[in-house]
Amino acid sequence: MTEVTANDTLSTDGRIRCDACPVMCYIKPGLSGACDRYANEDGVLIRVDPHVILNRPGTQEVVRFLENGADWDGNILAPAPVVTAIGAGTTYPDYKPAPFIVSSKIQGVDMVTVVTEGIFSYCGAKIKIDTDRHLGLERSIVRAAGEPVGHVMTSEYGSQMLSLGGVHHLTGSGKKQGRVTCETLLSLCNGGAVELTIDDGARVVVQANAAPIINGEPEQRMRVGCGSATIGMFAKQWHGHVDDVVVVDDHITGVLSEHQAGKLLGMAETGIRIQGRRSTPGRYFEVADPGTGWGGTDISDPLSILGAFDKKHARPGIRFLMVSTTGEHAAYYELDDSLRPREKAMPDQLAASVALIAENCEPALCSVLFMAGAGGSLRSGVTTNPVRLTKSVREALTKVTCGGAPVYLWPGGGITFMVDVSLLPKNAFGYVPTPALVAPVEFSLRLNDYERLGGHVAELRSMASILSQP
Ligand code: SF4
């Protein structure tokens, strides 16, 4: 708990007015404010959660892996303590200096770290869900508790992408939608699981670093590649054991005998015909509709994507394998005397190749990236000349972190960053009922650079004084 030095005011009945955000709660003795971050403890406004200092001396319990290592103290983290903004508190309005402006010496260099729990109305989460399964069409609405909280974005290689939150959902579409959006973002950013439904699509449970649960089924594998890539990777394993292979994929279905990989291996034409749009030899688009069946299509019978075999090249006894990009679905066929495929028991060597595809798939996970803009009024808590902070970040003189975790900074204007929420300590995020998310942000730079950009140098506190806090 941190005692707050904000200009909270004590009323005659013992209530304190918290001024850490625009809500300006009156908090009764023994109670907390609307966001549960601040409380009135015996007439003193306190920040309820502990202020997190990483690598604080004496607090890091690390398992030794060199039991007898005489010159190693068991510490695997950086030697210097790292002041994060988690639990540091917020100042409002923004011209007030940030809650902690800490000076320290790192390898002989005078450094400053400015930390604050930023209140973000302009924020959201980008979600990557490792699955081939069709979750919904791009631009479809994503809902939580029935409220729109985002939309489906362009899918990426082996993953479906969602964009959640943002200022329009938080502020622009009614009170309930704003509240549900805020709750959804908060839960996801703090490592919780959230059930989302996609209009005309799937129901999916999302949690950072956990497997997605799609329509009640936990996803197992992220595909090894598209159908064409799978052909390219495993063509040699199939050569000599089968006459053709079709790798069924919603995006690019591959056909070994036509594919360049098959050509280089000297494979003969089999007369196989795919009902799809031929892109280049052995690569077909739109063989079926998207779905949750084979290779992210809607099919459960792989033969449904085949046309009649070309009699010019086909012959009875032709052996072919059909497999999905995860190895989850596979079937083996031979052509009968009338050139119709008949399913047969999978030969051991082909079963081994299917197992190899599955082995080469990575575990399916959800990734949650928090994205926010720290290039606005928050900068005034760092410096009296905000644009100099932006320039300093752009020139790499100031390092931005989020709860101590590295961020990706977008090019262009502002200080727009993304961070993998799984790199932050649990429950590092908070909220205020405006509604907006509260996220820790730290700015670290050399003392002389801080002075040059008009920093609040009068507010500097030593690292020792911070560490001596309970
Ligand atoms: S919502 Fe939280 S931060 Fe805002 S005034 Fe109330 S207690 Fe303070």
Side-chain angles (χ1 to χ4, degrees):
M1 285 185 292
T2 308
E3 192 171 318
V4 173
T5 52
N7 53 349
D8 44 296
T9 48
L10 192 62
S11 67
T12 47
D13 60 358
R15 292 183 305 161
I16 296 178
R17 185 157 207 199
C18 173
D19 65 352
C21 93
V23 178
M24 304 286 279
C25 298
Y26 279 105
I27 309 175
K28 290 181 181 170
L31 296 181
S32 55
C35 67
D36 288 331
R37 295 191 307 135
Y38 287 89
N40 178 345
E41 189 179 77
D42 301 328
V44 176
L45 186 67
I46 57 161
R47 178 69 181 87
V48 173
D49 307 296
H51 183 199
V52 175
I53 299 171
L54 301 174
N55 205 23
R56 190 178 195 141
T59 59
Q60 300 291 340
E61 289 296 327
V62 181
V63 177
R64 281 174 177 266
F65 61 86
L66 283 175
E67 245 343 292
N68 301 318
D71 56 354
W72 181 60
D73 65 0
N75 194 343
I76 58 170
L77 300 176
V82 177
V83 179
T84 78
I86 303 167
T90 312
T91 47
Y92 185 78
D94 306 284
Y95 64 76
K96 291 182 194 169
F100 291 93
I101 303 178
V102 183
S103 66
S104 60
K105 216 180 238 319
I106 298 175
Q107 296 177 342
V109 180
D110 288 316
M111 299 292 295
V112 174
T113 302
V114 184
V115 311
T116 189
E117 288 183 299
I119 298 173
F120 293 101
S121 301
Y122 294 85
C123 73
K126 307 298 177 210
I127 314 289
K128 173 174 165 283
I129 302 170
D130 301 336
T131 182
D132 260 5
R133 282 176 233 282
H134 177 70
L135 301 183
L137 291 174
E138 284 170 19
R139 298 179 291 144
S140 295
I141 297 294
V142 178
R143 295 174 191 272
E147 290 293 317
V149 297
H151 62 273
V152 178
M153 293 199 293
T154 314
S155 62
E156 297 298 342
Y157 198 74
S159 308
Q160 310 297 323
M161 306 290 294
L162 309 180
S163 178
L164 305 185
V167 70
H168 294 299
H169 288 293
L170 283 167
T171 70
S173 304
K175 202 169 175 180
K176 188 176 177 202
Q177 188 177 131
R179 181 177 53 76
V180 172
T181 301
C182 191
E183 286 170 3
T184 303
L185 293 177
L186 181 64
S187 183
L188 286 169
C189 290
N190 278 337
V194 169
E195 181 171 292
L196 303 168
T197 53
I198 296 166
D199 285 4
D200 299 320
R203 181 169 45 88
V204 56
V205 177
V206 173
Q207 183 175 20
N209 257 355
I213 302 171
I214 300 165
N215 294 334
E217 294 288 327
E219 184 59 286
Q220 304 292 332
R221 302 173 205 147
M222 178 183 185
R223 71 176 186 178
V224 70
C226 71
S228 172
T230 308
I231 295 271
M233 276 185 269
F234 300 106
K236 268 193 160 178
Q237 275 85 345
W238 292 318
H239 186 226
H241 302 300
V242 72
D243 299 307
D244 217 337
V245 177
V246 178
V247 181
V248 181
D249 175 20
D250 177 40
H251 307 129
I252 308 170
T253 288
V255 180
L256 177 61
S257 61
E258 289 182 30
H259 195 277
Q260 182 66 2
K263 296 285 177 220
L264 289 176
L265 291 168
M267 296 191 73
E269 291 186 47
T270 59
I272 201 162
R273 283 194 181 122
I274 304 291
Q275 290 182 332
R277 185 158 61 87
R278 191 168 185 258
S279 160
T280 54
R283 299 169 72 256
Y284 289 84
F285 300 160
E286 299 173 19
V287 297
D289 287 326
T292 55
W294 279 58
T297 69
D298 63 344
I299 63 166
S300 53
D301 175 10
L303 296 181
S304 65
I305 69 167
L306 300 188
F309 276 69
D310 182 353
K311 289 186 177 138
K312 217 162 76 189
H313 300 289
R315 56 179 165 75
I318 286 255
R319 307 158 299 162
F320 67 99
L321 170 71
M322 297 192 78
V323 62
S324 68
T325 47
T326 55
E328 180 184 337
H329 299 99
Y332 170 74
Y333 303 89
E334 291 178 9
L335 292 190
D336 65 13
D337 291 343
S338 54
L339 302 182
R340 286 209 186 85
R342 299 288 172 206
E343 186 165 3
K344 296 272 168 80
M346 178 93 61
D348 289 347
Q349 271 146 332
L350 293 184
S353 77
V354 172
L356 190 63
I357 292 175
E359 183 188 331
N360 276 270
C361 294
E362 293 169 75
L365 291 176
C366 300
S367 313
V368 177
L369 265 62
F370 173 71
M371 181 166 173
S377 57
L378 181 151
R379 295 173 296 174
S380 296
V382 182
T383 165
T384 51
N385 193 337
V387 75
R388 287 195 189 163
L389 176 64
T390 312
K391 288 177 181 167
S392 173
V393 169
R394 195 61 56 218
E395 291 161 5
L397 298 174
T398 295
K399 184 179 179 186
V400 185
T401 52
C402 178
V407 303
Y408 171 76
L409 281 162
W410 279 75
I415 305 174
T416 304
F417 68 90
M418 294 195 297
V419 65
D420 176 356
V421 302
S422 67
L423 298 178
L424 275 77
K426 273 255 155 59
N427 300 321
F429 291 81
Y431 83 103
V432 290
T434 53
L437 229 63
V438 175
V441 185
E442 304 91 24
F443 299 94
S444 300
L445 65 168
R446 288 170 183 251
L447 175 60
N448 52 10
D449 286 330
Y450 191 54
E451 289 166 342
R452 265 198 289 274
L453 61 81
H456 302 292
V457 286
E459 304 297 325
L460 275 168
R461 298 157 71 170
S462 68
M463 179 65 83
S465 73
I466 302 293
L467 294 175
S468 65
Q469 286 181 166

